[in-house]
Amino acid sequence: MMDPGQGLSLPTEEARGTTDIEEWRESLVEMIPSLRAFAWSLSRDGSQADDLVQDTLIKAWTNREKFQAGTNLRAWLFTILRNTYYSAAIRKRREVQDTDGVMAGRLTTEASQDWRVAFTDLREALAKLPDEHREALILVGAAGLSYEEAADICGCALGTIKSRVNRARTKLLALLEAEDAAAAMPDPRFA
């Protein structure tokens, strides 16, 4: 049995010859009482202390290749346990206790299909515009180009692009308003 005041130091890789999993496991098992005492001193709760020790052992086992042979295993394990405890404490502070579900009941999200319907309506209305109006509107409105850049791309005068964009916006607004009005009318089959 190890003296609790001493740190456990495993022999170096060269001294062992090869990594001995059984020796590693035994070293971890020897540390469980000390780890549990330290975990309890942090959490003041037996079940939480047990969870901390378990998490520590899992992390140590998973990352055993990162342990530098010949260094203090006890200090390494205590550091893992301490970091695990404080990470969980920080996470817990961000959480909201909602045992009765009141907070969850207040959470809502917008219906995801609404934007898709609006996008489909916009795409259909854009398709009804004359090609030169749609092109001008997309270059200026969607692509964010200046009127001058759009005029250069389309090979026309600046005033022509401004006129096309204005006409496209007016026509697009009328098409979208007409679709909204048609959608608001009751279906005569169900009246």
Side-chain angles (χ1 to χ4, degrees):
M1 185 76 181
M2 191 181 100
D3 179 12
Q6 293 179 334
L8 178 63
S9 176
L10 293 177
T12 62
E13 193 83 24
E14 298 81 34
R16 288 189 313 220
T18 60
T19 304
D20 184 6
I21 296 293
E22 188 61 31
E23 185 180 337
W24 176 256
R25 188 189 70 75
E26 288 175 15
S27 300
L28 290 179
V29 169
E30 286 178 21
M31 294 299 301
I32 290 175
S34 298
L35 289 170
R36 188 162 190 314
F38 182 56
W40 191 88
S41 73
L42 291 173
S43 66
R44 302 279 188 209
D45 179 304
S47 63
Q48 188 178 7
D50 290 340
D51 290 345
L52 279 169
V53 171
Q54 182 177 355
D55 290 344
T56 300
L57 293 173
I58 289 170
K59 288 177 183 179
W61 187 267
T62 307
N63 296 295
R64 64 184 175 271
E65 72 282 348
K66 294 180 183 176
F67 176 72
Q68 296 177 1
T71 60
N72 189 336
L73 177 63
R74 179 187 175 106
W76 189 67
L77 291 171
F78 276 44
T79 301
I80 293 171
L81 189 141
R82 182 181 178 277
N83 290 344
T84 302
Y85 172 76
Y86 284 115
S87 293
I90 290 169
R91 217 176 14 259
K92 191 174 183 178
R93 264 189 272 154
R94 293 183 190 144
E95 293 177 358
V96 175
Q97 291 294 327
D98 189 24
T99 53
D100 56 356
V102 172
M103 292 295 290
R106 286 191 224 153
L107 297 175
T108 60
T109 57
E110 293 294 321
S112 60
Q113 69 272 17
D114 289 347
W115 69 268
R116 182 175 223 113
V117 170
F119 179 72
T120 302
D121 291 347
L122 176 63
R123 190 177 61 209
E124 289 172 1
L126 278 170
K128 293 176 183 175
L129 295 177
D131 291 342
E132 63 275 356
H133 290 175
R134 181 176 51 254
E135 177 184 48
L137 183 62
I138 289 174
L139 288 173
V140 174
L145 299 175
S146 68
Y147 286 110
E148 292 82 9
E149 292 168 323
D152 287 341
I153 291 170
C154 293
C156 61
L158 178 63
T160 304
I161 282 292
K162 288 182 178 181
S163 175
R164 287 179 183 173
V165 169
N166 184 41
R167 288 182 182 145
R169 285 180 178 156
T170 304
K171 176 82 172 167
L172 186 64
L173 183 61
L175 288 169
L176 290 173
E177 286 176 350
E179 287 182 20
D180 286 345
M185 293 188 63
D187 190 339
R189 294 176 294 172
F190 303 108

